[in-house]
Amino acid sequence: MNARLEAPVFDLAIVGAGPAGMAAAVEAAARGLAAVVLDEQPAPGGQIWRNIEASGGRASLGGSYAKGAAHAAAFRAAVADYRPGTLVWHVETADHEPARLWLMQGERVGQLRARRVLIAPGATERPVPVPGWTLPGAMTVGALQTLLKGAEVVPSAPVVLAGNGPLLYLTAVQLAACGARIAAVLWTAPPGAWRGAVPHLPGFLASGTWRAGLGLMRDFRALGIRVVRDVAAIEITGDGRAEAVRYRTAGGASGEIATGLVALHEGVIPATNLARAIGCEHLWDEAQAAFRPRLGPWGQTSVEGVLIAGDGGGIAGADAAPLAGRLAVLGAAHALGRLTLPERDGLAAPLRRDLDRILRGRAFIDRLYPPRLARAALPDAVVVCRCEEVTAGAVRGAVASGAQGPNQIKAFLRCGMGPCQGRFCDPTVTRLIAEARGVPEAEVGQFRLRPPVKPVPLTAFAAAGEEVA
């Protein structure tokens, strides 16, 4: 690195401008922190409120989408240094020194430093690898939502939605409101899931989130969509692209639906790539069947000066994320000497009360909508790593040959070395190894990540030490 150049130093760098990042930025401005907001997307909102400013909170996408407009407006009014279209591809940390963030905006490469880094990456959809899921015409529910919100693209062909969870209900309602035809919903939650959820019903009722959920289910039922329940297996078939989906229920019933578009969804998991590349400790969350960062009460990670807020720290939803973002900033402001301990705790008290109330409902949701297909036994021929076209059978074969963990699988098969850097195959690879070895997924762990966390051109490395942001 060119020693003659020194990157500017901020009090706080916020990575991500979704619900948690926007609220954190507003709180940082209120506390007088010199903050910068860095986000890959061209406008604020994250995935849940994608394109919220341009769409004007389209009524067809529902109230949960429209309320993002107020958050975006507050964000625009409060934030002085917002850099959309900016990829943070590496973060260097050192004890008692500001972190150094490496950036790319278009073809321009730069760096900046911050005394605290708040990562608000949101969530990513849990991969649902089934036979045929790599065919054109097979996608995730989140991809459908991106097209709908970002480009106002409505499918012209009838859609089959397969999976379970609140987002699947919401997407069905949104698609129907925008004029799309839904051929069927293949519902994968087992009918007995409610038994595991009932003990957590009091917390769910106390959280208040049941009101929105009840309204969503009422809207869904009003559509009169065909629903096939207790689906235990599906296969997407076609010659070069999706043409039909076959299903089998746990009771033995089977069928086939002609369709050129199948959308899969069985919940979301924390987006952890940047946090893992930084070196933040992660732990296995059995209730959510995913790894998440180990966090303190103010969003602190195991790495000094690095904080995480929102779904990137554990799935809690869009109502909880802004509260977590604000709490993280209050903790940072105190650590930086901008708030006394009584001031921090006084400001935090109502936020923490609201957050705790919302979180009380999470256990009910996790148990009511378990990831059935995503956790089912995989045929050997199913592709697990889409980037490198590695199958489940190849992973099992590598384990039989001595590979004991994801990083050895990477060395054997290049699994996790493609453009997605393991974001879509990591959970499945970990599960396959755990099953083959007969050990818990917590013992297997995840891919070890190194910078860059997303693909960047070689010119970025060449110029990284020559430009400052």
Side-chain angles (χ1 to χ4, degrees), residues 130-139 236 240-241 264 382-386:
V130 297
W133 77 310
T134 59
L135 285 171
M139 61 177 64
I236 302 166
R241 63 161 295 113
L264 302 161
V382 172
V383 171
V384 170
C385 173
R386 301 174 67 132

Side-chain angles (χ1 to χ4, degrees), residues 270-310:
T272 61
N273 272 36
L274 181 57
R276 285 157 55 199
I278 293 172
C280 300
E281 181 185 356
H282 285 66
L283 53 82
W284 176 255
D285 188 325
E286 187 64 38
Q288 297 189 352
F291 284 95
R292 61 174 175 82
R294 185 186 297 277
L295 300 181
W298 305 96
Q300 316 98 306
T301 70
S302 60
V303 177
E304 181 187 357
V306 177
L307 315 167
I308 296 177

Side-chain angles (χ1 to χ4, degrees), residues 159-161 182-187 220 223-229 247 254-258:
V159 183
V160 171
L161 303 177
I182 302 173
V185 172
L186 303 180
W187 193 254
F220 175 79
L223 297 176
I225 299 170
R226 176 192 176 192
V227 179
V228 181
R229 299 197 177 274
Y247 64 87
S254 61
E256 181 173 316
I257 303 170

